[in-house]
Amino acid sequence: MSISRKPKVWVSQPLFDDIVVRLDEYFEVTATPEVTDHAPEAIAAALRDADGALVTLNDRIGKAEIADAARLRAVASVGVGYNNLDIAALHARGIVVSNTPDVLTETTADFGFALMMAAARRITEAEHWLRAGQWQGWGFHKMQGADVHGSTLGILGMGRIGQGIARRAAGFNMRVLYHNRSRLPEAVERECCAQYVDRNALLAQSDHLVLVLPYVPANHHLIDAAALATMKPTATLTNIARGGLVDEDALADALQGGCLAAAGLDVFEGEPAVNTCLLACRNVVLTPHIASASLSTRRAMVALAVDNLVAAMGFGPDAGRPPSAIAPT
Ligand code: DGY
């Protein structure tokens, strides 16, 4: 008599128990009880015996991690960016990979806009100064920043989140320029009131530049010393995409040398470690990768990742059709 067993699923981080519990209906679940920085060998060991995995952007999965994962059929990542996954290697093994776009678009666009405003108007710098007891009385020349309203916003990477930021800019009467791998359809440009320009023009003309593009090897340190030198010294730079897009030493030099007015950074190349030169700059707002971190959005991301995993493994109402599988290129 054959004993049918439930497929095994590994959940790499504690998420929301009341959502993740849905996996129990279909799978034997091994959950990670504490936030864990898994070593590559630990990920390989967890995947060796797994049919599916629910992971986050902290968990790097490439060829080595799946070398012995003979049964692995699906990896569902919680997050829209997936530079932690070697998609080509996973697809080459027939593993279905999914991410969580759409559900985080508006929350992330809110945060990008807030970070840009905080950098432009020197909000955290002013708060640190006040908390340090330096405020001796109202000062006419104190903490003068850059206007957001009526200025030129540059968006590098005009996917869903970039478009969300552009829509917000309309309320601030901003001129919106963008650059993207491919130009958007005219109707979308019209809806976002955004004008396509080449990358050099975007850097040169933006008063506030926001990075929202995917991090792929070709984009490594896209914003380097040469790129920063083409920006206005009064401009701000906001990065809510991935830290590796920016040469952080060059950015710190530009911020300290008066070549750039301010920056807002939610992501860092070596996160959670933050470049010490950046930590020393007073004119940079630093946040710990929280652009999508509203409670309802983080819950929606986990719910979508669970749906993806269940469907990719052939169960549930979308069996075989995960709502946001990443297409092979
Ligand atoms: C993502 O989903 O890629 C974000 O960076 C998480 O906040």
Side-chain angles (χ1 to χ4, degrees):
M1 189 178 71
S2 73
I3 302 168
S4 71
R5 66 161 189 93
K6 284 178 171 178
K8 292 187 177 173
V9 154
W10 176 57
V11 180
S12 71
Q13 304 289 340
L15 299 164
F16 292 104
D17 290 349
D18 61 317
I19 301 174
V20 173
V21 73
R22 285 206 274 121
L23 294 173
D24 291 348
E25 185 180 340
Y26 310 103
F27 310 117
E28 186 184 318
V29 177
T30 304
T32 309
E34 311 252 315
V35 176
T36 307
D37 183 8
H38 297 287
E41 307 72 43
I43 294 185
L47 296 179
R48 195 170 298 139
D49 197 29
D51 299 278
L54 189 68
V55 302
T56 72
L57 51 87
N58 284 338
D59 311 305
R60 304 197 156 272
I61 303 180
K63 271 196 193 113
E65 287 75 17
I66 58 170
D68 295 329
R71 298 194 341 219
L72 189 65
R73 285 190 282 138
V75 172
S77 186
V78 184
V80 66
Y82 46 80
N83 56 303
N84 54 315
L85 306 175
D86 182 340
I87 300 293
L90 289 162
H91 280 160
R93 281 273 317 277
I95 296 166
V96 180
V97 191
S98 54
N99 65 340
T100 61
D102 300 320
V103 291
L104 50 62
T105 298
E106 299 303 326
T107 297
T108 308
D110 281 350
F111 191 87
F113 211 87
L115 195 54
M116 180 262 288
M117 291 195 75
R121 295 304 308 275
R122 306 174 64 174
I123 290 175
T124 55
E125 182 187 353
E127 185 186 354
H128 290 146
W129 183 80
L130 178 153
R131 284 180 187 271
Q134 303 210 41
W135 191 22
Q136 304 300 331
W138 186 79
F140 192 77
H141 293 291
K142 276 282 161 281
M143 295 292 162
Q144 291 170 348
D147 272 328
V148 171
H149 76 272
S151 65
T152 297
L153 172 66
I155 301 175
L156 191 50
M158 197 62 157
R160 290 163 274 225
I161 298 169
Q163 291 168 35
I165 293 172
R167 286 195 307 274
R168 282 157 179 77
F172 286 75
N173 195 26
M174 297 175 93
R175 171 181 176 234
V176 180
L177 306 177
Y178 79 96
H179 182 74
N180 200 37
R181 220 170 10 157
S182 42
R183 188 169 171 172
L184 298 178
E186 235 180 279
V188 181
E189 284 187 350
R190 223 175 306 118
E191 191 210 329
C192 295
C193 299
Q195 182 192 339
Y196 179 83
V197 291
D198 66 36
R199 191 156 62 84
N200 293 338
L202 187 80
L203 292 173
Q205 293 182 36
S206 297
D207 294 311
H208 305 291
L209 179 66
V210 183
L211 308 182
V212 209
L213 67 169
Y215 178 53
V216 292
N219 289 343
H220 180 69
H221 287 190
L222 187 69
I223 303 297
D224 57 8
L228 290 162
T230 66
M231 293 179 69
K232 299 179 188 182
T234 50
T236 72
L237 172 73
T238 296
N239 186 7
I240 56 167
R242 288 293 182 265
L245 293 168
V246 176
D247 177 341
E248 293 172 342
D249 289 330
L251 176 59
D253 282 349
L255 289 167
Q256 270 160 354
C259 300
L260 193 72
L265 305 176
D266 185 47
V267 286
F268 304 90
E269 190 163 6
E271 62 185 57
V274 178
N275 182 309
T276 49
C277 301
L278 284 174
L279 286 170
C281 294
R282 54 157 185 79
N283 48 346
V284 58
V285 182
L286 305 167
T287 52
H289 204 149
I290 55 169
S292 65
S294 74
L295 176 60
S296 63
T297 288
R298 285 282 162 92
R299 288 182 63 81
M301 290 164 69
V302 175
L304 178 53
V306 166
D307 288 346
N308 276 325
L309 187 59
V310 168
M313 301 286 290
F315 298 101
D318 296 320
R321 289 174 289 110
S324 48
I326 297 165
T329 45

